[in-house]
Amino acid sequence: MALEHAVVARSPTDHGGGRHVYVNGELHQMPYSMRTEVTLERGRNDLRVEYVDHLHRTLRPAVAAEVTVVAA
């Protein structure tokens, strides 16, 4: 996911927006960096990355990207 014209929080006390990483519909991570890794189960996995406000609330409209991958 690429993000332009927005600030990403670098720590829990930073007031920039944040990212939520979902794997198969479940919240997996709330990383404070622009890179993250996830370990996937074998087979089909749905990934979603969402940019949220500093209180972890979904923006309206939502700012998110989704992809489905098949892990070998």
Side-chain angles (χ1 to χ4, degrees):
M1 174 182 210
L3 181 66
E4 296 179 355
H5 309 294
V7 176
V8 175
R10 300 283 181 190
S11 73
T13 58
D14 192 344
H15 289 290
R19 294 182 308 138
H20 289 174
V21 178
Y22 297 87
V23 177
N24 299 323
E26 294 185 26
L27 182 61
H28 184 72
Q29 294 179 10
M30 293 182 284
Y32 291 105
S33 69
M34 291 303 292
R35 293 180 179 259
T36 191
E37 292 183 19
V38 295
T39 301
L40 301 173
E41 298 290 328
R42 294 182 98 179
R44 180 183 169 184
N45 291 273
D46 298 316
L47 305 176
R48 176 181 169 90
V49 178
E50 180 179 15
Y51 181 74
V52 295
D53 73 9
H54 70 283
L55 297 175
H56 299 265
R57 296 178 297 203
T58 296
L59 300 174
R60 299 286 181 228
V63 177
E66 299 179 40
V67 64
T68 298
V69 298
V70 177

